[in-house]
Amino acid sequence: MFTNFHTHSHYCDGKGELSDYINAAKKGGVKALGFSSHAPVPFDCKWCMNVTLLESYLDEIELLKKNHQDIEIYSGLEVDYVPAKISPSEFKQALDYTIGSIHFVEQYENGTPWEIDGPHLPFLDGLSKIFNNNIKEAIVRYFELTREMINQSTPTILGHLDKIKIQNAGDKFFRESDAWYQEEINKTIDLIKKAGTIVEVNTRGIYQKKSATTYPSPWILEKLNEQNIPITVSSDAHHPDDITNQFHETFVLLERIGFKKVSTLWNGEWKQLAFNEYGYIADKI
Ligand SMILES: [Zn+2]
Ligand SMILES: [Zn+2]
């Protein structure tokens, strides 16, 4: 059995109704499903939920919880952290959990936030105009913002920890073995450990063919395992068909790294469940 707490839908930039994801989850052996549309933001964002939809999103999830007794359903949002504009703490009370993700780093002179995980050309544009093409400065700022978010509003789950590597295909700008990059990862892991945040192992980059590995990279997962930091496996599905995409391969990877348990919401609480390559071992719940 699997669980998945990172899923989108028509409420933001995903395809399909919430019920389509529930049906796909049931077919794919997903026993607990969390919805995590991109939270509304107070600036232009084409892939975020419109703030006018938030109430119906939450109402629909509550109704689905009542109507589907054979699957656990949870309400969440994937919330950005943009200093003085938006943070996961704003939405905590209304939800079962939050995913905190950094998609924006600094802003242009006109106040437009710079999107770091979209297409490569706008990435290059911001890198040049905001960071004078200093890639190290831009990436360090990405991880500083990640740590600021954890410090200031501690999301339940940290989303795709190293997603900025999506722009570094073929090691175009740096190597993950570079000392400065490793230092940013180490500092971030230290804070995660202190804060008690769960780290997401996100498979989307692999099935989208935008990353050869999970977010975060396997060498980072090894460090998380050494530090006993809880992880959860999710697919960041934007289509019901992707509800368990790359899960089998990822559970194999986690076994190989040496993880013994994976965190998941179960009966309303975060629990550490034993697993094998086919997901959680149901009789050990
Ligand atoms: Zn994201
Ligand atoms: Zn997402």
Side-chain angles (χ1 to χ4, degrees):
M1 63 167 263
F2 296 121
T3 65
N4 190 348
F5 301 101
H6 195 158
T7 63
H8 296 270
S9 68
H10 72 90
Y11 279 102
C12 54
D13 60 343
K15 296 271 187 293
E17 301 284 333
L18 301 184
S19 57
D20 298 332
Y21 288 78
I22 294 175
N23 294 335
K26 288 182 185 177
K27 275 190 204 135
V30 174
K31 302 286 187 195
L33 174 67
F35 292 112
S36 60
S37 274
H38 291 290
V41 292
F43 48 83
D44 264 0
C45 169
K46 60 185 183 312
W47 41 264
C48 299
M49 184 190 292
N50 189 303
V51 70
T52 59
L53 295 177
L54 184 58
E55 206 178 310
S56 40
Y57 171 72
L58 296 173
D59 287 349
E60 187 178 348
I61 294 174
E62 289 312 308
L63 189 67
L64 291 167
K65 284 183 185 181
K66 288 194 190 96
N67 291 347
H68 293 269
Q69 300 295 327
D70 53 342
I71 181 170
E72 296 192 8
I73 295 171
Y74 295 98
S75 65
L77 284 169
E78 182 178 17
V79 191
D80 274 275
Y81 175 74
V82 179
K85 288 192 173 153
I86 182 170
S87 84
S89 29
E90 288 172 41
F91 299 90
K92 270 183 186 170
Q93 286 220 307
L95 304 167
D96 294 320
Y97 68 95
T98 53
I99 301 176
S101 297
I102 302 292
H103 302 104
F104 299 103
V105 173
E106 297 299 335
Q107 51 191 31
Y108 288 94
E109 265 174 22
N110 69 3
T112 304
W114 176 42
E115 204 179 308
I116 54 81
D117 74 339
H120 195 54
L121 284 179
F123 176 83
L124 292 178
D125 184 61
L127 183 63
S128 146
K129 289 182 180 142
I130 302 168
F131 287 94
N132 204 16
N133 286 322
N134 188 330
I135 187 73
K136 184 176 158 190
E137 237 175 65
I139 300 233
V140 166
R141 188 69 191 128
Y142 169 85
F143 285 109
E144 278 174 1
L145 285 165
T146 302
R147 294 192 293 271
E148 233 175 270
M149 172 176 72
I150 296 169
N151 253 329
Q152 296 190 6
S153 62
T154 320
T156 323
I157 300 168
L158 175 62
H160 44 65
L161 183 153
D162 62 353
K163 197 171 184 192
I164 199 159
K165 76 179 177 188
I166 201 171
Q167 306 293 354
N168 192 41
D171 290 348
K172 175 175 179 180
F173 296 111
F174 63 94
R175 288 175 193 277
E176 291 185 34
S177 56
D178 288 347
W180 65 268
Y181 189 79
Q182 299 248 329
E183 196 188 320
E184 290 307 311
I185 296 294
N186 289 339
K187 278 199 258 181
T188 307
I189 290 176
D190 285 349
L191 183 64
I192 289 167
K193 171 106 184 157
K194 259 188 240 152
T197 306
I198 297 163
V199 176
E200 170 193 45
V201 182
N202 181 312
T203 64
R204 181 165 172 77
I206 307 176
Y207 65 79
Q208 273 204 309
K209 303 205 178 348
K210 289 185 175 171
S211 169
T213 61
T214 48
Y215 310 117
S217 296
W219 66 269
I220 301 174
L221 293 174
E222 282 172 20
K223 285 175 182 271
L224 297 172
N225 184 42
E226 280 162 22
Q227 300 268 340
N228 270 320
I229 289 170
I231 54 164
T232 190
V233 175
S234 54
S235 71
D236 202 349
H238 286 62
H239 191 288
D241 288 351
D242 291 326
I243 204 87
T244 60
N245 210 334
Q246 289 290 317
F247 274 14
H248 170 63
E249 294 80 352
T250 299
F251 278 97
V252 169
L253 170 73
L254 296 177
E255 254 188 332
R256 204 176 67 223
I257 289 174
F259 282 96
K260 300 285 179 240
K261 294 195 170 171
V262 170
S263 289
T264 177
L265 260 176
W266 194 253
N267 281 332
E269 277 174 49
W270 285 95
K271 298 208 172 74
Q272 297 256 36
L273 300 190
F275 66 94
N276 60 25
E277 62 187 294
Y278 304 108
Y280 304 106
I281 303 168
D283 62 2
K284 296 210 174 154
I285 293 166

